[in-house]
Amino acid sequence: MQVILAKPRGFCAGVNRAISIVHQALERFAPPVYVLHEIVHNTHVLEELRQRGAVFVEELEEIPKGAVTVFSAHGVSRAVADQAAKLGLRTIDATCPLVSKVHRRIIRLVNQGYDVLVIGHKGHPEVEGTCGQVDGNVAVVSRVAEIDTLDVRDPERVGYVTQTTLSVDDTEELLKTLRRRFPHISEPERTDICYATTNRQAAVRQLCDEVELILVVGSKNSSNSNRLREVARLRQTPAYLIDDAGEIDPHWFAGIQRVGISAGASAPEHLVTGVIEWLKRQGPVTVAEMAGGEEHVSFHVPELEG
Ligand code: SF4
Protein backbone atom coordinates (compact mmCIF):
# COMPACT_ATOMS: atom_id res chain seq x y z
CA MET A 1 0.00 0.00 0.00
CA GLN A 2 1.11 3.51 -0.79
CA VAL A 3 0.36 6.21 1.79
CA ILE A 4 0.47 9.91 0.92
CA LEU A 5 0.37 12.44 3.74
CA ALA A 6 -1.44 15.71 3.09
CA LYS A 7 0.64 18.84 3.59
CA PRO A 8 -0.23 20.93 5.48
CA ARG A 9 -2.18 18.92 8.02
CA GLY A 10 -2.73 18.99 11.76
CA PHE A 11 -2.10 21.75 14.28
CA CYS A 12 -2.55 25.36 13.20
CA ALA A 13 -1.05 28.42 14.87
CA GLY A 14 -4.24 29.21 16.82
CA VAL A 15 -4.46 25.71 18.28
CA ASN A 16 -0.76 25.71 19.19
CA ARG A 17 -1.23 29.03 20.96
CA ALA A 18 -4.37 27.96 22.84
CA ILE A 19 -2.78 24.72 24.07
CA SER A 20 0.40 26.58 25.10
CA ILE A 21 -1.72 29.03 27.10
CA VAL A 22 -3.36 26.19 29.07
CA HIS A 23 0.04 24.54 29.67
CA GLN A 24 1.46 27.83 30.87
CA ALA A 25 -1.55 28.41 33.14
CA LEU A 26 -1.07 24.94 34.63
CA GLU A 27 2.59 25.73 35.32
CA ARG A 28 1.96 29.19 36.78
CA PHE A 29 -1.09 28.44 38.89
CA ALA A 30 -1.89 25.45 41.04
CA PRO A 31 -4.30 23.09 39.27
CA PRO A 32 -7.13 22.92 38.66
CA VAL A 33 -7.21 25.41 35.83
CA TYR A 34 -10.73 25.70 34.44
CA VAL A 35 -11.37 25.96 30.70
CA LEU A 36 -14.72 27.19 29.42
CA HIS A 37 -15.68 24.81 26.59
CA GLU A 38 -13.20 22.47 24.97
CA ILE A 39 -10.00 24.47 24.46
CA VAL A 40 -9.86 22.97 20.94
CA HIS A 41 -12.10 20.25 19.54
CA ASN A 42 -9.90 17.19 19.99
CA THR A 43 -10.55 14.41 22.50
CA HIS A 44 -6.84 13.45 22.82
CA VAL A 45 -5.71 17.01 23.46
CA LEU A 46 -8.41 17.37 26.13
CA GLU A 47 -7.48 14.12 27.83
CA GLU A 48 -3.82 15.05 28.02
CA LEU A 49 -4.67 18.45 29.54
CA ARG A 50 -7.15 16.84 31.95
CA GLN A 51 -4.40 14.61 33.23
CA ARG A 52 -2.27 17.68 33.93
CA GLY A 53 -5.05 19.38 35.89
CA ALA A 54 -7.30 21.17 33.40
CA VAL A 55 -11.05 20.99 34.04
CA PHE A 56 -13.34 21.62 31.07
CA VAL A 57 -16.75 23.08 31.84
CA GLU A 58 -19.68 24.24 29.73
CA GLU A 59 -21.05 26.85 32.15
CA LEU A 60 -19.27 29.55 34.14
CA GLU A 61 -21.43 28.67 37.15
CA GLU A 62 -19.53 25.38 37.45
CA ILE A 63 -16.32 27.29 38.27
CA PRO A 64 -15.49 28.24 41.88
CA LYS A 65 -15.15 31.96 42.62
CA GLY A 66 -11.67 33.35 41.93
CA ALA A 67 -10.51 30.27 39.97
CA VAL A 68 -8.22 30.61 36.94
CA THR A 69 -10.39 30.25 33.83
CA VAL A 70 -9.27 30.01 30.22
CA PHE A 71 -11.57 30.98 27.34
CA SER A 72 -11.20 28.53 24.44
CA ALA A 73 -9.68 29.21 21.00
CA HIS A 74 -13.22 29.65 19.60
CA GLY A 75 -13.79 32.87 21.55
CA VAL A 76 -16.64 33.91 23.84
CA SER A 77 -19.42 36.48 23.74
CA ARG A 78 -19.19 39.77 25.59
CA ALA A 79 -21.93 38.56 27.94
CA VAL A 80 -19.81 35.55 28.93
CA ALA A 81 -16.73 37.73 29.53
CA ASP A 82 -18.83 40.16 31.64
CA GLN A 83 -20.41 37.31 33.58
CA ALA A 84 -16.95 35.85 34.31
CA ALA A 85 -15.85 39.23 35.69
CA LYS A 86 -18.97 39.42 37.87
CA LEU A 87 -18.29 35.93 39.22
CA GLY A 88 -14.79 37.09 40.19
CA LEU A 89 -12.99 34.61 37.93
CA ARG A 90 -9.41 35.18 36.93
CA THR A 91 -9.72 34.88 33.14
CA ILE A 92 -7.16 34.17 30.44
CA ASP A 93 -8.27 34.55 26.84
CA ALA A 94 -7.02 31.89 24.41
CA THR A 95 -9.23 33.09 21.53
CA CYS A 96 -7.39 32.61 18.23
CA PRO A 97 -6.22 36.01 16.92
CA LEU A 98 -7.95 35.23 13.61
CA VAL A 99 -11.27 34.81 15.44
CA SER A 100 -10.62 38.07 17.32
CA LYS A 101 -10.15 39.76 13.94
CA VAL A 102 -13.67 38.62 12.94
CA HIS A 103 -14.93 39.99 16.29
CA ARG A 104 -13.43 43.39 15.55
CA ARG A 105 -15.08 43.47 12.14
CA ILE A 106 -18.57 42.58 13.34
CA ILE A 107 -18.30 45.32 15.99
CA ARG A 108 -17.23 47.84 13.34
CA LEU A 109 -20.09 46.88 11.01
CA VAL A 110 -22.72 47.17 13.73
CA ASN A 111 -21.29 50.52 14.88
CA GLN A 112 -21.64 51.74 11.29
CA GLY A 113 -25.32 50.77 11.28
CA TYR A 114 -25.12 47.59 9.23
CA ASP A 115 -27.23 44.49 9.70
CA VAL A 116 -24.73 41.65 9.88
CA LEU A 117 -25.05 38.11 8.59
CA VAL A 118 -22.83 35.61 10.36
CA ILE A 119 -22.22 32.75 7.98
CA GLY A 120 -21.55 29.61 9.98
CA HIS A 121 -22.94 26.65 11.85
CA LYS A 122 -25.69 27.49 14.31
CA GLY A 123 -24.73 26.54 17.85
CA HIS A 124 -20.98 26.31 17.15
CA PRO A 125 -19.09 28.09 19.98
CA GLU A 126 -17.21 30.32 17.54
CA VAL A 127 -20.46 31.50 15.92
CA GLU A 128 -22.03 32.15 19.32
CA GLY A 129 -18.96 34.10 20.44
CA THR A 130 -18.95 36.17 17.25
CA CYS A 131 -22.69 36.99 17.40
CA GLY A 132 -22.27 37.84 21.06
CA GLN A 133 -19.80 40.67 20.38
CA VAL A 134 -22.66 43.00 19.47
CA ASP A 135 -26.24 43.83 20.43
CA GLY A 136 -27.12 44.91 16.89
CA ASN A 137 -29.11 43.22 14.16
CA VAL A 138 -27.32 39.95 13.56
CA ALA A 139 -28.56 36.74 11.93
CA VAL A 140 -26.77 33.42 11.48
CA VAL A 141 -26.93 31.98 7.97
CA SER A 142 -26.00 28.33 7.49
CA ARG A 143 -27.61 27.43 4.17
CA VAL A 144 -28.29 29.03 0.78
CA ALA A 145 -32.02 28.29 1.24
CA GLU A 146 -32.17 30.72 4.18
CA ILE A 147 -31.03 33.74 2.18
CA ASP A 148 -34.32 34.51 0.36
CA THR A 149 -36.26 34.93 3.57
CA LEU A 150 -33.70 37.08 5.42
CA ASP A 151 -35.30 40.12 6.93
CA VAL A 152 -33.03 43.19 6.99
CA ARG A 153 -33.72 46.85 7.79
CA ASP A 154 -31.96 48.25 4.69
CA PRO A 155 -30.69 45.97 1.90
CA GLU A 156 -28.08 48.65 1.08
CA ARG A 157 -26.52 48.34 4.53
CA VAL A 158 -25.86 44.66 5.02
CA GLY A 159 -22.48 43.11 5.80
CA TYR A 160 -21.27 39.63 6.55
CA VAL A 161 -18.59 37.81 8.48
CA THR A 162 -17.95 34.06 8.44
CA GLN A 163 -16.88 31.32 10.78
CA THR A 164 -13.17 30.66 10.25
CA THR A 165 -13.47 26.92 9.60
CA LEU A 166 -16.06 26.71 6.83
CA SER A 167 -15.86 24.80 3.58
CA VAL A 168 -14.28 27.08 0.98
CA ASP A 169 -16.42 25.46 -1.77
CA ASP A 170 -19.76 25.73 0.07
CA THR A 171 -19.09 29.26 1.26
CA GLU A 172 -18.35 30.49 -2.25
CA GLU A 173 -21.73 29.09 -3.39
CA LEU A 174 -23.50 30.75 -0.49
CA LEU A 175 -21.76 34.09 -1.13
CA LYS A 176 -22.84 34.07 -4.78
CA THR A 177 -26.47 33.91 -3.67
CA LEU A 178 -25.89 36.52 -0.98
CA ARG A 179 -24.34 38.94 -3.50
CA ARG A 180 -27.30 38.45 -5.84
CA ARG A 181 -29.76 39.32 -3.06
CA PHE A 182 -27.63 42.17 -1.61
CA PRO A 183 -25.50 43.60 -4.45
CA HIS A 184 -23.95 46.21 -2.10
CA ILE A 185 -23.14 43.81 0.70
CA SER A 186 -20.05 44.80 2.72
CA GLU A 187 -17.43 42.07 2.42
CA PRO A 188 -14.24 41.48 4.39
CA GLU A 189 -11.07 42.57 2.54
CA ARG A 190 -9.89 38.99 2.72
CA THR A 191 -12.03 35.96 3.50
CA ASP A 192 -12.60 35.23 7.19
CA ILE A 193 -11.99 31.53 6.48
CA CYS A 194 -8.55 31.20 8.02
CA TYR A 195 -5.30 30.27 6.32
CA ALA A 196 -5.18 26.87 8.10
CA THR A 197 -8.67 25.86 6.98
CA THR A 198 -8.01 27.02 3.41
CA ASN A 199 -4.63 25.29 3.14
CA ARG A 200 -5.79 21.98 4.65
CA GLN A 201 -8.79 21.85 2.33
CA ALA A 202 -6.61 22.66 -0.71
CA ALA A 203 -4.21 19.84 0.25
CA VAL A 204 -7.07 17.32 0.55
CA ARG A 205 -8.46 18.49 -2.81
CA GLN A 206 -5.06 17.76 -4.39
CA LEU A 207 -4.79 14.45 -2.53
CA CYS A 208 -8.06 13.30 -4.13
CA ASP A 209 -6.29 13.17 -7.52
CA GLU A 210 -3.61 10.86 -6.12
CA VAL A 211 -5.34 8.37 -3.79
CA GLU A 212 -8.41 6.11 -3.66
CA LEU A 213 -9.35 6.69 -0.03
CA ILE A 214 -8.65 9.38 2.58
CA LEU A 215 -8.43 9.13 6.36
CA VAL A 216 -8.94 12.42 8.19
CA VAL A 217 -7.64 12.38 11.75
CA GLY A 218 -9.82 14.58 13.94
CA SER A 219 -12.64 14.55 16.45
CA LYS A 220 -16.29 14.30 15.45
CA ASN A 221 -17.10 17.79 16.77
CA SER A 222 -14.17 19.45 15.00
CA SER A 223 -15.64 21.73 12.34
CA ASN A 224 -12.53 21.96 10.18
CA SER A 225 -11.93 18.18 10.34
CA ASN A 226 -15.48 17.49 9.18
CA ARG A 227 -14.98 19.92 6.30
CA LEU A 228 -11.84 18.00 5.20
CA ARG A 229 -13.85 14.80 4.97
CA GLU A 230 -16.55 16.63 2.99
CA VAL A 231 -13.99 18.08 0.55
CA ALA A 232 -12.88 14.53 -0.27
CA ARG A 233 -16.40 13.10 -0.51
CA LEU A 234 -17.46 15.96 -2.80
CA ARG A 235 -14.79 14.70 -5.17
CA GLN A 236 -16.13 11.14 -4.94
CA THR A 237 -13.16 10.00 -2.86
CA PRO A 238 -14.27 7.83 0.06
CA ALA A 239 -13.16 9.52 3.28
CA TYR A 240 -13.45 8.68 6.98
CA LEU A 241 -13.07 10.93 10.01
CA ILE A 242 -11.31 9.07 12.82
CA ASP A 243 -10.22 10.20 16.26
CA ASP A 244 -7.30 7.77 16.15
CA ALA A 245 -6.14 4.43 14.69
CA GLY A 246 -8.51 2.58 17.03
CA GLU A 247 -11.46 3.72 14.90
CA ILE A 248 -10.15 2.28 11.64
CA ASP A 249 -12.28 -0.45 10.04
CA PRO A 250 -10.08 -2.87 8.05
CA HIS A 251 -12.95 -3.41 5.59
CA TRP A 252 -12.44 0.12 4.22
CA PHE A 253 -9.24 -1.00 2.47
CA ALA A 254 -10.55 -3.88 0.34
CA GLY A 255 -8.98 -3.40 -3.11
CA ILE A 256 -7.38 -0.07 -2.10
CA GLN A 257 -3.72 0.56 -3.02
CA ARG A 258 -3.29 4.29 -2.37
CA VAL A 259 -4.42 5.93 0.86
CA GLY A 260 -4.21 9.61 1.78
CA ILE A 261 -4.01 10.88 5.35
CA SER A 262 -4.84 14.35 6.56
CA ALA A 263 -5.53 15.78 10.00
CA GLY A 264 -7.72 18.61 11.24
CA ALA A 265 -6.21 21.75 12.73
CA SER A 266 -6.73 20.45 16.27
CA ALA A 267 -5.35 16.92 15.76
CA PRO A 268 -1.84 16.17 17.10
CA GLU A 269 0.70 14.62 14.73
CA HIS A 270 1.30 11.58 16.97
CA LEU A 271 -2.21 10.39 16.03
CA VAL A 272 -1.24 10.47 12.35
CA THR A 273 1.85 8.44 13.23
CA GLY A 274 -0.42 5.96 15.02
CA VAL A 275 -2.52 5.55 11.87
CA ILE A 276 0.60 4.93 9.75
CA GLU A 277 1.78 2.32 12.25
CA TRP A 278 -1.63 0.63 12.13
CA LEU A 279 -1.43 0.46 8.33
CA LYS A 280 2.12 -0.93 8.50
CA ARG A 281 0.90 -3.73 10.75
CA GLN A 282 -1.51 -4.81 7.98
CA GLY A 283 1.21 -5.25 5.32
CA PRO A 284 4.00 -3.49 3.40
CA VAL A 285 3.49 0.26 3.18
CA THR A 286 5.44 3.10 1.58
CA VAL A 287 4.90 6.57 3.03
CA ALA A 288 5.42 9.84 1.17
CA GLU A 289 4.39 13.40 1.91
CA MET A 290 2.93 15.86 -0.58
CA ALA A 291 5.39 18.49 -1.80
CA GLY A 292 5.03 22.17 -0.85
CA GLY A 293 2.33 23.29 1.53
CA GLU A 294 4.74 24.95 3.98
CA GLU A 295 3.16 27.19 6.60
CA HIS A 296 5.06 29.86 8.50
CA VAL A 297 2.33 31.28 10.71
CA SER A 298 2.79 31.46 14.46
CA PHE A 299 1.05 33.54 17.10
CA HIS A 300 2.59 35.16 20.12
CA VAL A 301 1.77 33.38 23.38
CA PRO A 302 1.24 36.01 26.09
CA GLU A 303 3.31 35.70 29.27
CA LEU A 304 0.96 34.94 32.13
CA GLU A 305 1.57 36.80 35.35
CA GLY A 306 1.61 34.53 38.38
FE1 SF4 B 1 -7.26 30.02 14.38
FE2 SF4 B 1 -7.85 28.94 12.00
FE3 SF4 B 1 -6.67 27.49 13.83
FE4 SF4 B 1 -9.22 28.22 14.17
S1 SF4 B 1 -8.41 26.83 12.59
S2 SF4 B 1 -7.61 28.24 15.72
S3 SF4 B 1 -9.15 30.28 13.24
S4 SF4 B 1 -5.79 29.32 12.82
Side-chain angles (χ1 to χ4, degrees):
M1 182 181 286
Q2 197 187 344
V3 171
I4 305 181
L5 302 174
K7 193 171 167 205
R9 63 179 179 280
F11 276 9
C12 62
V15 162
N16 265 322
R17 177 177 180 273
I19 294 171
S20 300
I21 286 174
V22 179
H23 277 293
Q24 210 191 120
L26 286 163
E27 279 158 24
R28 286 288 156 90
F29 309 101
V33 161
Y34 290 82
V35 183
L36 182 64
H37 307 310
E38 299 186 353
I39 184 76
V40 299
H41 285 153
N42 186 272
T43 54
H44 289 269
V45 169
L46 299 187
E47 195 42 44
E48 196 210 322
L49 291 173
R50 259 187 211 111
Q51 282 175 16
R52 297 204 49 207
V55 176
F56 297 93
V57 296
E58 285 307 310
E59 303 295 339
L60 288 174
E61 286 73 15
E62 298 171 58
I63 306 173
K65 192 169 187 310
V68 175
T69 304
V70 181
F71 294 148
S72 81
H74 311 100
V76 296
S77 67
R78 260 183 6 206
V80 166
D82 292 348
Q83 165 88 351
K86 271 194 207 122
L87 290 170
L89 304 178
R90 182 169 189 173
T91 55
I92 303 165
D93 190 1
T95 304
C96 175
L98 299 181
V99 175
S100 301
K101 188 172 139 224
V102 178
H103 289 180
R104 289 194 293 277
R105 184 154 186 279
I106 194 171
I107 292 168
R108 209 164 46 241
L109 285 168
V110 167
N111 286 344
Q112 291 168 351
Y114 283 85
D115 283 2
V116 185
L117 307 174
V118 177
I119 300 167
H121 301 285
K122 292 184 178 110
H124 188 280
E126 183 188 322
V127 171
E128 297 198 335
T130 298
C131 292
Q133 297 307 307
V134 289
D135 301 319
N137 288 279
V138 171
V140 180
V141 179
S142 303
R143 292 178 297 116
V144 171
E146 295 166 358
I147 294 175
D148 272 352
T149 52
L150 283 171
D151 190 18
V152 297
R153 290 172 300 173
D154 176 0
E156 302 287 309
R157 287 191 83 71
V158 176
Y160 76 82
V161 297
T162 81
Q163 191 178 333
T164 55
T165 50
L166 296 181
S167 152
V168 173
D169 295 330
D170 292 352
T171 306
E172 203 34 59
E173 275 313 300
L174 198 144
L175 290 181
K176 275 187 202 155
T177 312
L178 210 51
R179 288 177 194 127
R180 268 200 298 274
R181 166 115 201 253
F182 305 111
H184 298 109
I185 194 160
S186 170
E187 309 211 24
E189 262 172 45
R190 291 192 56 206
T191 169
D192 293 327
I193 299 177
C194 77
Y195 82 95
T197 300
T198 307
N199 293 349
R200 279 152 192 68
Q201 287 178 18
V204 167
R205 232 174 272 131
Q206 191 184 326
L207 205 51
C208 289
D209 295 334
E210 302 173 33
V211 300
E212 300 152 291
L213 178 145
I214 292 180
L215 300 174
V216 177
V217 181
S219 290
K220 306 290 180 279
N221 62 344
S222 159
S223 173
N224 79 88
S225 304
N226 276 290
R227 303 295 83 77
L228 293 178
R229 182 186 54 178
E230 281 170 18
V231 163
R233 288 191 172 172
L234 244 169
R235 284 160 183 79
Q236 321 302 331
T237 305
Y240 300 96
L241 178 61
I242 51 171
D243 238 313
D244 53 42
E247 292 187 358
I248 298 176
D249 180 344
H251 294 107
W252 295 340
F253 304 97
I256 298 283
Q257 300 289 315
R258 295 187 310 277
V259 173
I261 304 179
S262 180
S266 46
E269 181 65 11
H270 70 84
L271 300 175
V272 172
T273 309
V275 171
I276 297 169
E277 279 163 7
W278 186 95
L279 291 170
K280 283 183 173 167
R281 285 198 293 276
Q282 316 308 306
V285 167
T286 62
V287 183
E289 188 174 58
M290 283 168 57
E294 303 289 345
E295 287 179 336
H296 303 284
V297 182
S298 65
F299 295 134
H300 172 70
V301 179
E303 275 294 311
L304 303 181
E305 311 220 335

